[in-house]
Amino acid sequence: MTAPHRPVRVERRPVDEQDSLTANRADWDRYADEYQSTHGEFLGDEGFLWGPEGVREDAVRALGDVEDKDVLELGCGAGQCSRWVLRHGGRPVGLDVSMRQLQHSRRIDQEHETRVPTICAGAAAIPVVDDAFDIVFSAFGALQFISDADALVAEIARVTRPGGRFAFSVTHPTRWMFPDDPAEGGLLASQSYWDRTPYVEVDDETGETSYVEHHRTLGDWVRALSASGYRLVDLIEPEWPADHDRVWGGWSRTRGLLTPGTALYVADLA
């Protein structure tokens, strides 16, 4: 049974890497069962979605050819995307901060008689040797929960082989101007696009930080990639499909037909 939601209050204030890690690990451990129950069928046990719009890797091919490649997924959750890599001939490893999410990955592996190796860790400090992977990717996973984007991309570059690819999707940064509301109320801009102050939820009962999400502009990500030696290959802003009516948090048809909800970056390491 999923634990009931505890009341929270929202703040906008700086949060460092360790506090972000502590809060978000606990939050995803609490939320994992509900997340997989609510979204598991849409994701598919071996599916690869880049975001709530339902755009699939089969269509955009952001990773390129994964066959015979060593592939790291950051924020893998239950390993659905990594299992897609496995089915297409790659050697995936999944990393996630939440042990409960990784337990769901193990459950699905047992159901399908597959095996995706996993690591329980945060993406800010990846516990693997240098130059370990041909491809690193994150599909709406760990990157929004990391405090220092420049250090994060440098860490990803460290574990990526020369010429390797890094592809990741995050909430489109223009969404930070709007309330997180899937209805028409979510179309009224209420704060500055350039305000990078983290979004924080605080547990009303304990006073503890329970969730943290960090904001970067499009330019922030491009500069972070360039500083670590990446060349931007593509920036995909998926349009809302005509036949897609699923509401996922603040993502909906109402908003998606007017403003982008996902930004997908594709970059190659020099």
Side-chain angles (χ1 to χ4, degrees), residues 123-144:
I126 303 169
V128 301
V129 299
D130 296 356
D131 302 334
F133 296 97
D134 301 295
I135 300 169
V136 179
F137 75 92
S138 182
F140 248 79
L143 308 193
Q144 299 174 132

Side-chain angles (χ1 to χ4, degrees), residues 220-239:
D220 290 340
W221 280 118
V222 171
R223 285 186 290 275
L225 290 166
S226 179
S228 289
Y230 283 100
R231 177 180 64 88
L232 187 66
V233 175
D234 203 356
L235 172 55
I236 302 168
E237 299 165 288
E239 294 188 39

